Amino acid sequence: MTRVDTCRSLATVWFGLPLALLVATCPIIAQQQAIPAGLVTGRVTDITSGRPLRDATVEVEGTRLRTPTDSAGVYRIPRAPAGPQVIRATLIGYAAARVPVTVPAGGTLNQDFTLATSALLMEGIVVTADPAGRAKGEMGTASVIGREALAHQPSTSLANVLSFIPGVAMTPPSIESGQRVALRSAATTSVESRELAAFGTAVILDGVPLSNNANLQSAPSGVAGLVGASAGGIDLSRLPASTIDRVEVIRGVPSARYGDLTQGAVVVETRAGVVDPDIGVQFDSRTLNASLVAGRRIVSGQTASAALDVTRYLVSPGITEDVASRFSLQLAHRAEVGTRGSGDEARVLVDTRLDAYQVREERALREEEASRFTSWHRDRGIRLSSRVGVRLDGSARLNLTLAAQSDRQRSYLQEMKSSGAMPFTDRMTEGRTQGRFIQGSYLSRLHLEGDPWLVYGRVEGEQTAARFGWDHVLKAGAELRREWNSGPGYRFDMEHPPQVSFNGVTGFDRPRRFDEIPAVATTGLYLDDLMSRTLPGGRVVRVQAGVRLDVLHSGGSLASGARDLAFQPRVNAEFFPASWLRLLAGWGQVAKTPALGSLYPAPRFYDLVNVNHYTSDPGERLAVLTTFIEDPGNPDVGFAMSRKAEAGAEIELGRSAVSLVIYRERMQGAVGLRPEPSFLLRDRYDLAPTAPGQPPRLMEPATRQDTVPILVERPSNNTDVLTRGLEVTALLPEVRPLRTRAQIQASWTESRQTKSDLDFGGATRFQAFQLSPVQQRIPYWEERSRSGRTALATYRLIHQEPEIGLVITGWVQHNISDRVWDEGGTDTLSFSGYLTRDGQRIPVASERRGDIEYSDLRTSRSGLLVELRSTPADWMMGIQVSKVLPLDGRLSFWAFNSLDRRGYQIESDVQPRLYASRRFGLEVTVPARAFLGGPG
């Protein structure tokens, strides 16, 4: 059964799922009852004066349970989930405080908080992803990075923030294009497997996913050097670190709420609501960053906030004038309607965001260089989103999310090209025509102009209830997405093409418009149930089970039929045999939508040279070419599926924690290019002489024909990636005499990538076969795979003097191993068969490959190396010193790779160093209350 037939046979499942969701939900709603939980109460005071703090917000992290403190600083949270939780207290003008606790079932827990105007004045600072943190509503392995941690590492974009995650290399502040994250992945080629992982890592900003599916900023084949070209993932440089409030990185099995991913999800919440206004400035030898964030209560129940970030980055200071810049503006408005009681939220909450950005990168023209090289990339976009939450009663809730985003992407590349006498044609349709010649040097210019759009909507119902002794948080929802690109596409002058790899067979890529490509539309339905139960002895069991169905529509409309379906069951479980021990396990399937360029690839133009009469006299030259157009589209291209499994344990003793997670993930059907053998018929003509100074005359009809073998590269679900690894994080106890504590994170990852394609021994060998009519066949190989292994460890030391507001943070990252190798037959008998000039694939049995008739096929397999890369181990050390300033400001000095070995070089046969050279800088944050007034 084909993939398309499977989609049709599952159509009844698609239309019947909403009814199934309703049937599954009704029994729980009908039998809801009071949930046995605990009461959390306590007092919030000022750490310096001891006075009670009114209107501080205390919440159970990962839930919607929150409450304000009264005039005595007292709070009460009834119905708090039993078992291990994290309680968080926040107040405008103060640093947040977080404490892991164990809530007794049916009992009362008293937990007091002391808040300081700066986190530097509080003990027990966590400067990395909190091991005790939990993603909201999620049980899969996750890292939570709070605002407090961001102050202890130099960051200008989300890419720098994510270095808190195990397995992610640390980078100095920058906004160069191409900043991406690939969760739980080891490189198996220089770029490909990491691109697949980055493309499969979802980035959700304020409840709405960012999309890379309609990004078509990829240059035509054979063109390199274009700044900002799409590399299969969200460019994180556009998201300023200064505007981030909280980041949740779900590395394990996400709940059924999350779709369009294979690797994991990065959930980003930006600063909004009532925010103490502050001005931040960060600068070093390359970077100048300034930010302003402020939020006020405008009327009762309504707040408005704004965040502005401006950054300038020198790409190669002292060497070139290349520069990158970023402008980001975020406006937020929150409105709460309806009274709320202790521990409950408003009856209606409307959260509206306007997000605008511009990112530019300019590679300056080198006037003194003959190459005349210059390039630039300019992205800008605007997004309007709104999240509406309606509390129907004490246990039911309805959530609605709507968003629309428009981006404008412009890229340009200019450089001198040099070509021999080369016949070409600029035909856009099939047929024969008289061509022209390109010869010598010329200036090539290439424009890429894309305008991707995303329209997104989600409706979700949530019900809290108890049934059969289990507490349930049941969510059912539908998600709709439509993405397209309305840009003019890529443009260049055919007489001055940007590529010079023309060989008379494959021809040039032609200019292509993006606004003629259909849209991609997807629909998702999901049901997710988060269940918990308290056993005798205070032991807690939690299970999160769900199912998701995604539909890739056959057309650009949400009303069109199904091109592919992805059924995704998911389950996570955790068991607390004691309050300090957590055992966890998860399994599930996730799916990623193919990119617009894979669903609708560009036509392939083949210009076969019939006549190439080239003389010293330009008037006597004659070129005749026949243009063929092949459609590389593949109607069977569909979702890439990933099966994820993990297991681990966490130990939490007070403010100390250690976790170990092992995982295995297999991505099946990732979209790649499959070379499909075929052939073209070429006519050959005799020429009749004419008068001197005139081209010869073509004699009709053709006197002979020959065949030219070709490879049509079709997008296909042809790539599998198997990844396994382990992650360790540890937050060690403080050495009190030294007021110092250590935090450690380490990861080991191995990936094996396999492509179900034919290998003809490299592009050079196949092109020689195409251009040589006397060569009647060429060998092909199968079963090629490539593997990679990485091991990375990060050690952090935190020395703290809370009385004077001083924190010294030192970090060392050890790149233990970084290796890539090939797997496949390399001996002369490892070929699988041969390809004829008319595109026929003839297999040869292994026992016959030594026969004399196959002697011409017994050649070494080029393009396959046993060891592709083995980077020597490397170390990087950094340090940051932070001090509280008057008016509750903060001054930080940081040094990245502070003990770098000057002049250190790597041998030419291995990869360059993982870490950048030495950098140092300053960061100053000043509360703006004195200039802008209070937050209101």
Side-chain angles (χ1 to χ4, degrees), residues 765-793:
R765 176 179 289 181
F766 189 81
Q767 289 175 5
F769 173 57
Q770 289 179 299
L771 297 173
S772 176
V774 299
Q775 185 178 352
Q776 295 301 309
R777 61 185 182 180
I778 187 175
Y780 67 82
W781 291 263
E782 295 175 334
E783 300 301 327
R784 173 180 176 176
S785 64
R786 184 166 287 177
S787 298
R789 181 184 300 136
T790 61
L792 196 67

PDB file of all heavy atoms in Angstrom, residues 765-793:
ATOM      1  N   ARG A 765      32.576  11.613 -11.249  1.00  0.00           N
ATOM      2  CA  ARG A 765      32.573  10.369 -12.032  1.00  0.00           C
ATOM      3  C   ARG A 765      31.315  10.270 -12.892  1.00  0.00           C
ATOM      4  O   ARG A 765      31.386   9.880 -14.063  1.00  0.00           O
ATOM      5  CB  ARG A 765      32.679   9.163 -11.100  1.00  0.00           C
ATOM      6  CG  ARG A 765      32.588   7.824 -11.824  1.00  0.00           C
ATOM      7  CD  ARG A 765      32.729   6.663 -10.866  1.00  0.00           C
ATOM      8  NE  ARG A 765      34.097   6.554 -10.370  1.00  0.00           N
ATOM      9  CZ  ARG A 765      34.500   5.606  -9.527  1.00  0.00           C
ATOM     10  NH1 ARG A 765      33.654   4.696  -9.097  1.00  0.00           N
ATOM     11  NH2 ARG A 765      35.745   5.570  -9.123  1.00  0.00           N
ATOM     12  N   PHE A 766      30.158  10.660 -12.349  1.00  0.00           N
ATOM     13  CA  PHE A 766      28.928  10.549 -13.138  1.00  0.00           C
ATOM     14  C   PHE A 766      28.918  11.565 -14.272  1.00  0.00           C
ATOM     15  O   PHE A 766      28.452  11.264 -15.379  1.00  0.00           O
ATOM     16  CB  PHE A 766      27.704  10.748 -12.246  1.00  0.00           C
ATOM     17  CG  PHE A 766      26.408  10.437 -12.951  1.00  0.00           C
ATOM     18  CD1 PHE A 766      25.973   9.133 -13.071  1.00  0.00           C
ATOM     19  CD2 PHE A 766      25.659  11.446 -13.529  1.00  0.00           C
ATOM     20  CE1 PHE A 766      24.790   8.829 -13.743  1.00  0.00           C
ATOM     21  CE2 PHE A 766      24.472  11.163 -14.195  1.00  0.00           C
ATOM     22  CZ  PHE A 766      24.036   9.852 -14.302  1.00  0.00           C
ATOM     23  N   GLN A 767      29.444  12.769 -14.055  1.00  0.00           N
ATOM     24  CA  GLN A 767      29.487  13.752 -15.136  1.00  0.00           C
ATOM     25  C   GLN A 767      30.397  13.285 -16.264  1.00  0.00           C
ATOM     26  O   GLN A 767      30.097  13.505 -17.450  1.00  0.00           O
ATOM     27  CB  GLN A 767      29.952  15.099 -14.580  1.00  0.00           C
ATOM     28  CG  GLN A 767      28.919  15.778 -13.699  1.00  0.00           C
ATOM     29  CD  GLN A 767      29.432  17.051 -13.063  1.00  0.00           C
ATOM     30  OE1 GLN A 767      30.555  17.494 -13.348  1.00  0.00           O
ATOM     31  NE2 GLN A 767      28.629  17.648 -12.193  1.00  0.00           N
ATOM     32  N   ALA A 768      31.478  12.634 -15.927  1.00  0.00           N
ATOM     33  CA  ALA A 768      32.352  12.087 -16.968  1.00  0.00           C
ATOM     34  C   ALA A 768      31.618  11.026 -17.781  1.00  0.00           C
ATOM     35  O   ALA A 768      31.790  10.924 -19.002  1.00  0.00           O
ATOM     36  CB  ALA A 768      33.615  11.507 -16.339  1.00  0.00           C
ATOM     37  N   PHE A 769      30.785  10.210 -17.126  1.00  0.00           N
ATOM     38  CA  PHE A 769      29.983   9.202 -17.807  1.00  0.00           C
ATOM     39  C   PHE A 769      28.961   9.866 -18.732  1.00  0.00           C
ATOM     40  O   PHE A 769      28.737   9.414 -19.868  1.00  0.00           O
ATOM     41  CB  PHE A 769      29.290   8.335 -16.748  1.00  0.00           C
ATOM     42  CG  PHE A 769      28.297   7.360 -17.291  1.00  0.00           C
ATOM     43  CD1 PHE A 769      28.649   6.413 -18.243  1.00  0.00           C
ATOM     44  CD2 PHE A 769      26.981   7.376 -16.826  1.00  0.00           C
ATOM     45  CE1 PHE A 769      27.717   5.496 -18.728  1.00  0.00           C
ATOM     46  CE2 PHE A 769      26.049   6.469 -17.309  1.00  0.00           C
ATOM     47  CZ  PHE A 769      26.418   5.528 -18.263  1.00  0.00           C
ATOM     48  N   GLN A 770      28.342  10.945 -18.296  1.00  0.00           N
ATOM     49  CA  GLN A 770      27.368  11.649 -19.122  1.00  0.00           C
ATOM     50  C   GLN A 770      27.997  12.167 -20.407  1.00  0.00           C
ATOM     51  O   GLN A 770      27.402  12.078 -21.499  1.00  0.00           O
ATOM     52  CB  GLN A 770      26.768  12.836 -18.346  1.00  0.00           C
ATOM     53  CG  GLN A 770      25.826  12.463 -17.218  1.00  0.00           C
ATOM     54  CD  GLN A 770      25.310  13.702 -16.498  1.00  0.00           C
ATOM     55  OE1 GLN A 770      26.093  14.454 -15.935  1.00  0.00           O
ATOM     56  NE2 GLN A 770      24.010  13.891 -16.528  1.00  0.00           N
ATOM     57  N   LEU A 771      29.186  12.730 -20.304  1.00  0.00           N
ATOM     58  CA  LEU A 771      29.808  13.417 -21.425  1.00  0.00           C
ATOM     59  C   LEU A 771      30.624  12.501 -22.335  1.00  0.00           C
ATOM     60  O   LEU A 771      31.183  12.954 -23.327  1.00  0.00           O
ATOM     61  CB  LEU A 771      30.710  14.537 -20.891  1.00  0.00           C
ATOM     62  CG  LEU A 771      29.981  15.643 -20.127  1.00  0.00           C
ATOM     63  CD1 LEU A 771      30.979  16.600 -19.494  1.00  0.00           C
ATOM     64  CD2 LEU A 771      29.033  16.389 -21.045  1.00  0.00           C
ATOM     65  N   SER A 772      30.698  11.220 -22.018  1.00  0.00           N
ATOM     66  CA  SER A 772      31.500  10.281 -22.810  1.00  0.00           C
ATOM     67  C   SER A 772      30.593   9.239 -23.454  1.00  0.00           C
ATOM     68  O   SER A 772      30.263   8.225 -22.824  1.00  0.00           O
ATOM     69  CB  SER A 772      32.540   9.603 -21.916  1.00  0.00           C
ATOM     70  OG  SER A 772      33.255   8.632 -22.639  1.00  0.00           O
ATOM     71  N   PRO A 773      30.172   9.449 -24.714  1.00  0.00           N
ATOM     72  CA  PRO A 773      29.276   8.478 -25.375  1.00  0.00           C
ATOM     73  C   PRO A 773      29.868   7.089 -25.519  1.00  0.00           C
ATOM     74  O   PRO A 773      29.139   6.111 -25.655  1.00  0.00           O
ATOM     75  CB  PRO A 773      29.029   9.115 -26.749  1.00  0.00           C
ATOM     76  CG  PRO A 773      29.349  10.565 -26.572  1.00  0.00           C
ATOM     77  CD  PRO A 773      30.455  10.614 -25.562  1.00  0.00           C
ATOM     78  N   VAL A 774      31.207   6.970 -25.452  1.00  0.00           N
ATOM     79  CA  VAL A 774      31.814   5.646 -25.629  1.00  0.00           C
ATOM     80  C   VAL A 774      31.724   4.814 -24.361  1.00  0.00           C
ATOM     81  O   VAL A 774      31.872   3.585 -24.415  1.00  0.00           O
ATOM     82  CB  VAL A 774      33.293   5.788 -26.040  1.00  0.00           C
ATOM     83  CG1 VAL A 774      33.400   6.528 -27.372  1.00  0.00           C
ATOM     84  CG2 VAL A 774      34.091   6.520 -24.974  1.00  0.00           C
ATOM     85  N   GLN A 775      31.472   5.442 -23.214  1.00  0.00           N
ATOM     86  CA  GLN A 775      31.345   4.695 -21.958  1.00  0.00           C
ATOM     87  C   GLN A 775      29.907   4.221 -21.833  1.00  0.00           C
ATOM     88  O   GLN A 775      28.986   5.030 -21.707  1.00  0.00           O
ATOM     89  CB  GLN A 775      31.751   5.553 -20.757  1.00  0.00           C
ATOM     90  CG  GLN A 775      31.744   4.778 -19.437  1.00  0.00           C
ATOM     91  CD  GLN A 775      32.192   5.637 -18.263  1.00  0.00           C
ATOM     92  OE1 GLN A 775      32.639   6.759 -18.437  1.00  0.00           O
ATOM     93  NE2 GLN A 775      32.083   5.091 -17.059  1.00  0.00           N
ATOM     94  N   GLN A 776      29.705   2.922 -21.853  1.00  0.00           N
ATOM     95  CA  GLN A 776      28.369   2.378 -21.934  1.00  0.00           C
ATOM     96  C   GLN A 776      27.724   2.103 -20.582  1.00  0.00           C
ATOM     97  O   GLN A 776      26.513   1.921 -20.502  1.00  0.00           O
ATOM     98  CB  GLN A 776      28.387   1.074 -22.743  1.00  0.00           C
ATOM     99  CG  GLN A 776      28.778   1.287 -24.188  1.00  0.00           C
ATOM    100  CD  GLN A 776      27.828   2.238 -24.905  1.00  0.00           C
ATOM    101  OE1 GLN A 776      26.604   2.062 -24.868  1.00  0.00           O
ATOM    102  NE2 GLN A 776      28.377   3.271 -25.540  1.00  0.00           N
ATOM    103  N   ARG A 777      28.494   2.065 -19.516  1.00  0.00           N
ATOM    104  CA  ARG A 777      27.898   1.782 -18.216  1.00  0.00           C
ATOM    105  C   ARG A 777      28.790   2.314 -17.101  1.00  0.00           C
ATOM    106  O   ARG A 777      29.976   2.594 -17.317  1.00  0.00           O
ATOM    107  CB  ARG A 777      27.658   0.288 -18.039  1.00  0.00           C
ATOM    108  CG  ARG A 777      28.920  -0.579 -18.103  1.00  0.00           C
ATOM    109  CD  ARG A 777      28.547  -2.048 -18.046  1.00  0.00           C
ATOM    110  NE  ARG A 777      29.739  -2.910 -18.056  1.00  0.00           N
ATOM    111  CZ  ARG A 777      29.698  -4.232 -18.006  1.00  0.00           C
ATOM    112  NH1 ARG A 777      28.525  -4.853 -17.928  1.00  0.00           N
ATOM    113  NH2 ARG A 777      30.813  -4.952 -18.018  1.00  0.00           N
ATOM    114  N   ILE A 778      28.190   2.422 -15.925  1.00  0.00           N
ATOM    115  CA  ILE A 778      28.901   2.925 -14.747  1.00  0.00           C
ATOM    116  C   ILE A 778      28.413   2.137 -13.532  1.00  0.00           C
ATOM    117  O   ILE A 778      27.221   1.812 -13.431  1.00  0.00           O
ATOM    118  CB  ILE A 778      28.632   4.450 -14.560  1.00  0.00           C
ATOM    119  CG1 ILE A 778      29.495   5.020 -13.436  1.00  0.00           C
ATOM    120  CG2 ILE A 778      27.164   4.713 -14.294  1.00  0.00           C
ATOM    121  CD1 ILE A 778      29.347   6.543 -13.294  1.00  0.00           C
ATOM    122  N   PRO A 779      29.311   1.782 -12.599  1.00  0.00           N
ATOM    123  CA  PRO A 779      28.856   1.013 -11.427  1.00  0.00           C
ATOM    124  C   PRO A 779      28.102   1.902 -10.447  1.00  0.00           C
ATOM    125  O   PRO A 779      28.271   3.124 -10.406  1.00  0.00           O
ATOM    126  CB  PRO A 779      30.166   0.498 -10.814  1.00  0.00           C
ATOM    127  CG  PRO A 779      31.194   1.500 -11.235  1.00  0.00           C
ATOM    128  CD  PRO A 779      30.772   1.979 -12.601  1.00  0.00           C
ATOM    129  N   TYR A 780      27.247   1.262  -9.658  1.00  0.00           N
ATOM    130  CA  TYR A 780      26.606   1.964  -8.560  1.00  0.00           C
ATOM    131  C   TYR A 780      26.738   1.132  -7.288  1.00  0.00           C
ATOM    132  O   TYR A 780      26.941  -0.080  -7.327  1.00  0.00           O
ATOM    133  CB  TYR A 780      25.138   2.280  -8.868  1.00  0.00           C
ATOM    134  CG  TYR A 780      24.215   1.091  -8.973  1.00  0.00           C
ATOM    135  CD1 TYR A 780      23.666   0.490  -7.830  1.00  0.00           C
ATOM    136  CD2 TYR A 780      23.872   0.561 -10.221  1.00  0.00           C
ATOM    137  CE1 TYR A 780      22.805  -0.601  -7.930  1.00  0.00           C
ATOM    138  CE2 TYR A 780      23.022  -0.521 -10.330  1.00  0.00           C
ATOM    139  CZ  TYR A 780      22.491  -1.100  -9.177  1.00  0.00           C
ATOM    140  OH  TYR A 780      21.649  -2.183  -9.274  1.00  0.00           O
ATOM    141  N   TRP A 781      26.644   1.816  -6.159  1.00  0.00           N
ATOM    142  CA  TRP A 781      26.776   1.192  -4.847  1.00  0.00           C
ATOM    143  C   TRP A 781      25.525   1.483  -4.019  1.00  0.00           C
ATOM    144  O   TRP A 781      24.770   2.421  -4.306  1.00  0.00           O
ATOM    145  CB  TRP A 781      28.002   1.735  -4.109  1.00  0.00           C
ATOM    146  CG  TRP A 781      29.319   1.329  -4.686  1.00  0.00           C
ATOM    147  CD1 TRP A 781      30.114   0.312  -4.284  1.00  0.00           C
ATOM    148  CD2 TRP A 781      30.011   1.965  -5.770  1.00  0.00           C
ATOM    149  NE1 TRP A 781      31.256   0.248  -5.042  1.00  0.00           N
ATOM    150  CE2 TRP A 781      31.228   1.250  -5.971  1.00  0.00           C
ATOM    151  CE3 TRP A 781      29.717   3.049  -6.605  1.00  0.00           C
ATOM    152  CZ2 TRP A 781      32.138   1.599  -6.953  1.00  0.00           C
ATOM    153  CZ3 TRP A 781      30.625   3.394  -7.588  1.00  0.00           C
ATOM    154  CH2 TRP A 781      31.822   2.677  -7.752  1.00  0.00           C
ATOM    155  N   GLU A 782      25.310   0.685  -3.007  1.00  0.00           N
ATOM    156  CA  GLU A 782      24.198   0.865  -2.077  1.00  0.00           C
ATOM    157  C   GLU A 782      24.727   0.792  -0.641  1.00  0.00           C
ATOM    158  O   GLU A 782      25.915   0.573  -0.405  1.00  0.00           O
ATOM    159  CB  GLU A 782      23.124  -0.208  -2.296  1.00  0.00           C
ATOM    160  CG  GLU A 782      22.445  -0.124  -3.659  1.00  0.00           C
ATOM    161  CD  GLU A 782      21.472  -1.280  -3.884  1.00  0.00           C
ATOM    162  OE1 GLU A 782      21.673  -2.345  -3.261  1.00  0.00           O
ATOM    163  OE2 GLU A 782      20.540  -1.112  -4.687  1.00  0.00           O
ATOM    164  N   GLU A 783      23.816   0.980   0.298  1.00  0.00           N
ATOM    165  CA  GLU A 783      24.132   0.795   1.722  1.00  0.00           C
ATOM    166  C   GLU A 783      25.278   1.688   2.194  1.00  0.00           C
ATOM    167  O   GLU A 783      26.279   1.213   2.703  1.00  0.00           O
ATOM    168  CB  GLU A 783      24.466  -0.678   2.015  1.00  0.00           C
ATOM    169  CG  GLU A 783      23.346  -1.638   1.703  1.00  0.00           C
ATOM    170  CD  GLU A 783      22.079  -1.336   2.485  1.00  0.00           C
ATOM    171  OE1 GLU A 783      22.176  -0.876   3.637  1.00  0.00           O
ATOM    172  OE2 GLU A 783      20.990  -1.537   1.936  1.00  0.00           O
ATOM    173  N   ARG A 784      25.099   2.957   2.001  1.00  0.00           N
ATOM    174  CA  ARG A 784      26.074   3.902   2.521  1.00  0.00           C
ATOM    175  C   ARG A 784      25.464   4.623   3.727  1.00  0.00           C
ATOM    176  O   ARG A 784      24.331   5.100   3.665  1.00  0.00           O
ATOM    177  CB  ARG A 784      26.456   4.930   1.467  1.00  0.00           C
ATOM    178  CG  ARG A 784      27.341   6.045   2.010  1.00  0.00           C
ATOM    179  CD  ARG A 784      27.689   7.047   0.940  1.00  0.00           C
ATOM    180  NE  ARG A 784      28.453   8.169   1.482  1.00  0.00           N
ATOM    181  CZ  ARG A 784      28.954   9.150   0.739  1.00  0.00           C
ATOM    182  NH1 ARG A 784      28.768   9.140  -0.556  1.00  0.00           N
ATOM    183  NH2 ARG A 784      29.631  10.136   1.298  1.00  0.00           N
ATOM    184  N   SER A 785      26.218   4.720   4.783  1.00  0.00           N
ATOM    185  CA  SER A 785      25.755   5.464   5.952  1.00  0.00           C
ATOM    186  C   SER A 785      26.929   6.238   6.525  1.00  0.00           C
ATOM    187  O   SER A 785      28.096   5.949   6.237  1.00  0.00           O
ATOM    188  CB  SER A 785      25.164   4.525   7.013  1.00  0.00           C
ATOM    189  OG  SER A 785      26.155   3.651   7.503  1.00  0.00           O
ATOM    190  N   ARG A 786      26.593   7.226   7.329  1.00  0.00           N
ATOM    191  CA  ARG A 786      27.619   8.066   7.935  1.00  0.00           C
ATOM    192  C   ARG A 786      27.266   8.272   9.392  1.00  0.00           C
ATOM    193  O   ARG A 786      26.107   8.483   9.730  1.00  0.00           O
ATOM    194  CB  ARG A 786      27.713   9.389   7.192  1.00  0.00           C
ATOM    195  CG  ARG A 786      28.819  10.305   7.684  1.00  0.00           C
ATOM    196  CD  ARG A 786      29.060  11.419   6.709  1.00  0.00           C
ATOM    197  NE  ARG A 786      29.748  10.928   5.517  1.00  0.00           N
ATOM    198  CZ  ARG A 786      30.034  11.693   4.460  1.00  0.00           C
ATOM    199  NH1 ARG A 786      29.675  12.950   4.450  1.00  0.00           N
ATOM    200  NH2 ARG A 786      30.660  11.181   3.422  1.00  0.00           N
ATOM    201  N   SER A 787      28.265   8.206  10.249  1.00  0.00           N
ATOM    202  CA  SER A 787      28.047   8.310  11.690  1.00  0.00           C
ATOM    203  C   SER A 787      28.857   9.448  12.273  1.00  0.00           C
ATOM    204  O   SER A 787      29.905   9.835  11.739  1.00  0.00           O
ATOM    205  CB  SER A 787      28.418   6.994  12.396  1.00  0.00           C
ATOM    206  OG  SER A 787      27.601   5.931  11.957  1.00  0.00           O
ATOM    207  N   GLY A 788      28.370   9.972  13.388  1.00  0.00           N
ATOM    208  CA  GLY A 788      29.066  11.026  14.104  1.00  0.00           C
ATOM    209  C   GLY A 788      28.914  10.833  15.596  1.00  0.00           C
ATOM    210  O   GLY A 788      27.926  10.257  16.064  1.00  0.00           O
ATOM    211  N   ARG A 789      29.899  11.299  16.341  1.00  0.00           N
ATOM    212  CA  ARG A 789      29.855  11.166  17.792  1.00  0.00           C
ATOM    213  C   ARG A 789      30.396  12.448  18.408  1.00  0.00           C
ATOM    214  O   ARG A 789      31.429  12.969  17.982  1.00  0.00           O
ATOM    215  CB  ARG A 789      30.681   9.971  18.248  1.00  0.00           C
ATOM    216  CG  ARG A 789      30.676   9.753  19.767  1.00  0.00           C
ATOM    217  CD  ARG A 789      31.605   8.611  20.163  1.00  0.00           C
ATOM    218  NE  ARG A 789      31.191   7.363  19.522  1.00  0.00           N
ATOM    219  CZ  ARG A 789      32.027   6.507  18.958  1.00  0.00           C
ATOM    220  NH1 ARG A 789      33.323   6.776  18.928  1.00  0.00           N
ATOM    221  NH2 ARG A 789      31.586   5.397  18.413  1.00  0.00           N
ATOM    222  N   THR A 790      29.687  12.960  19.406  1.00  0.00           N
ATOM    223  CA  THR A 790      30.152  14.139  20.127  1.00  0.00           C
ATOM    224  C   THR A 790      30.019  13.885  21.624  1.00  0.00           C
ATOM    225  O   THR A 790      29.120  13.182  22.076  1.00  0.00           O
ATOM    226  CB  THR A 790      29.331  15.390  19.766  1.00  0.00           C
ATOM    227  OG1 THR A 790      27.957  15.182  20.126  1.00  0.00           O
ATOM    228  CG2 THR A 790      29.418  15.697  18.293  1.00  0.00           C
ATOM    229  N   ALA A 791      30.939  14.470  22.374  1.00  0.00           N
ATOM    230  CA  ALA A 791      30.880  14.443  23.831  1.00  0.00           C
ATOM    231  C   ALA A 791      31.293  15.825  24.317  1.00  0.00           C
ATOM    232  O   ALA A 791      32.346  16.337  23.929  1.00  0.00           O
ATOM    233  CB  ALA A 791      31.799  13.367  24.402  1.00  0.00           C
ATOM    234  N   LEU A 792      30.449  16.418  25.145  1.00  0.00           N
ATOM    235  CA  LEU A 792      30.646  17.794  25.574  1.00  0.00           C
ATOM    236  C   LEU A 792      30.328  17.896  27.057  1.00  0.00           C
ATOM    237  O   LEU A 792      29.316  17.361  27.520  1.00  0.00           O
ATOM    238  CB  LEU A 792      29.739  18.720  24.770  1.00  0.00           C
ATOM    239  CG  LEU A 792      30.036  20.211  24.773  1.00  0.00           C
ATOM    240  CD1 LEU A 792      31.350  20.495  24.062  1.00  0.00           C
ATOM    241  CD2 LEU A 792      28.900  20.973  24.091  1.00  0.00           C
ATOM    242  N   ALA A 793      31.188  18.556  27.796  1.00  0.00           N
ATOM    243  CA  ALA A 793      30.967  18.732  29.235  1.00  0.00           C
ATOM    244  C   ALA A 793      31.196  20.195  29.598  1.00  0.00           C
ATOM    245  O   ALA A 793      32.124  20.840  29.092  1.00  0.00           O
ATOM    246  CB  ALA A 793      31.906  17.843  30.050  1.00  0.00           C
TER     247      ALA A 793
END
